[in-house]
Amino acid sequence: MTILILIAGLVLLVVGGELLVRGAVAIAGKLGVSPLMIGLTIVGMGTSMPELAASVQAALAGSPGIALGNIVGSNIANSMLILGVAALLAPIAVARGTLWRDGGVGVLAVVALLALGLTTGLGREAGLTLIALMVGYLVLAYRQEKRAAAHSAAFDKATALENIDPALDTQTQRQSGWGVSTAFLLAGLVCIVGGGTLLVNAAVTIAREFGMSETLVGLTIVAVGTSLPELVTSAVAALRKQSEVALGNVLGSNIYNVLFIGGVTGTIAPTTVPESILGFDLPLLIAVSLGVMAMAWTGARLSRIEGVALVAGYALYIAFTAGLL
């Protein structure tokens, strides 16, 4: 029964994120916000809604292991499982400038989270700092897109979501009436809040029933579940031979997860970073991120063999984290 509740929570989170984005895109379009800004902010954050809801709800419920485990675990899943699957479907060509710019921002974001965890914890000031860094990154991305420079990861993240749901196109959504747009927005919020509550409650119950730590549940079950939208969007991009979009979606998601979700979580519900995450998972995430950048740099692509290595590495990580090795 608990597993069914957890699945129901995940479904509500995904559906809620979809409805919320559709409503928000339509309303922003009617208010005259530029399509580029809508893509970088509203659409770009759309696939991050499940992670955001789960982490905030967990922090409010006093479960920092699930809140931070979800953020860090999602990034590890993005960098190994999702990127590995995408590379298996189609080798990923890499623009080295984009890789170092956006991949570098992602690494620095994780280093900042590690530093905060070792010093002040994820309090309100730390959360606001992360949000400020997120805003700075979006401003940089917006300026680069306006200059027609190499696409940013934030742009590719929005593109990946729009590719699997053409209804998110700004022009399409502008045709919706105010009532429909508002209804989508409100329904999305309700689903996200409800789904997050169900997911966190089920995750805590699973931890207690099976003698698992909440951190373990957050790093594995919750993290993988909330990362499903990224898996779908990156896989579709890879199948469509849009390798730069698949890579950008992962890099962008990693940035959003730490700066946006971590920032909002710390601001709304200040929490500590569990010692096990500080001592192992965050350093591992930094190492994995640098490793992926190195693999892509050496051959200007991620090959299928490297995709196999990433997926196998993720399987070993899950086995080790679960105490099976």
Side-chain angles (χ1 to χ4, degrees):
M1 183 64 181
T2 304
I3 298 297
L4 293 178
I5 294 175
L6 185 141
I7 293 174
L10 284 172
V11 171
L12 282 175
L13 284 176
V14 173
V15 172
E18 173 80 6
L19 293 174
L20 178 67
V21 172
R22 287 195 181 196
V25 166
I27 291 173
K30 294 177 187 301
L31 293 175
V33 180
S34 73
L36 174 57
M37 183 56 70
I38 290 173
L40 292 176
T41 56
I42 298 172
V43 179
M45 294 175 182
T47 52
S48 295
M49 285 298 109
E51 284 100 332
L52 175 63
S55 288
V56 170
Q57 292 273 13
L60 288 171
S63 299
I66 294 177
L68 274 299
N70 177 42
I71 293 172
V72 177
S74 291
N75 277 22
I76 292 175
N78 286 343
S79 301
M80 301 182 76
L81 175 63
I82 295 174
L83 200 55
V85 168
L88 281 172
L89 293 174
I92 299 176
V94 177
R96 289 176 174 173
T98 301
L99 175 69
W100 282 102
R101 180 192 61 206
D102 298 301
V105 170
V107 171
L108 291 176
V110 179
V111 171
L113 182 59
L114 177 60
L116 289 171
L118 291 171
T119 54
T120 63
L122 195 57
R124 284 194 171 88
E125 290 184 358
L128 290 172
T129 299
L130 292 178
I131 292 174
L133 292 173
M134 183 74 234
V135 172
Y137 171 72
L138 289 176
V139 170
L140 175 64
Y142 181 80
R143 289 179 175 175
Q144 289 183 326
E145 297 301 334
K146 293 290 284 186
R147 293 200 307 265
H151 287 316
S152 64
F155 181 89
D156 288 334
K157 187 176 189 295
T159 301
L161 184 57
E162 290 168 346
N163 281 347
I164 65 171
D165 189 359
L168 289 178
D169 176 73
T170 306
Q171 296 300 325
T172 301
Q173 286 301 317
R174 279 177 176 168
Q175 299 172 6
S176 302
W178 280 98
V180 173
S181 302
T182 303
F184 276 176
L185 182 67
L186 295 177
L189 286 171
V190 171
C191 288
I192 285 173
V193 173
T197 301
L198 290 177
L199 177 66
V200 172
N201 289 343
V204 172
T205 301
I206 289 173
R208 292 172 179 170
E209 290 182 350
F210 293 91
M212 303 166 63
S213 70
E214 291 185 0
T215 300
L216 173 59
V217 174
L219 286 166
T220 55
I221 299 173
V222 177
V224 173
T226 56
S227 294
L228 289 178
E230 278 83 4
L231 176 59
V232 173
T233 51
S234 287
V236 170
L239 288 171
R240 292 181 176 179
K241 309 301 181 183
Q242 297 175 316
S243 57
E244 73 286 352
V245 173
L247 176 63
N249 181 48
V250 169
L251 296 178
S253 295
N254 286 353
I255 293 171
Y256 278 85
N257 284 348
V258 176
L259 298 183
F260 172 57
I261 298 174
V264 173
T265 300
T267 302
I268 294 177
T271 185
T272 58
V273 181
E275 290 186 8
S276 59
I277 291 179
L278 288 173
F280 178 72
D281 301 284
L282 276 172
L284 174 67
L285 177 56
I286 294 172
V288 168
S289 300
L290 292 174
V292 169
M293 292 171 67
M295 283 191 291
W297 174 264
T298 54
R301 59 183 281 166
L302 283 174
S303 67
R304 285 191 170 91
I305 293 177
E306 289 166 331
V308 170
L310 288 173
V311 174
Y314 186 71
L316 288 174
Y317 165 74
I318 291 296
F320 178 80
T321 303
L324 301 178
L325 292 178

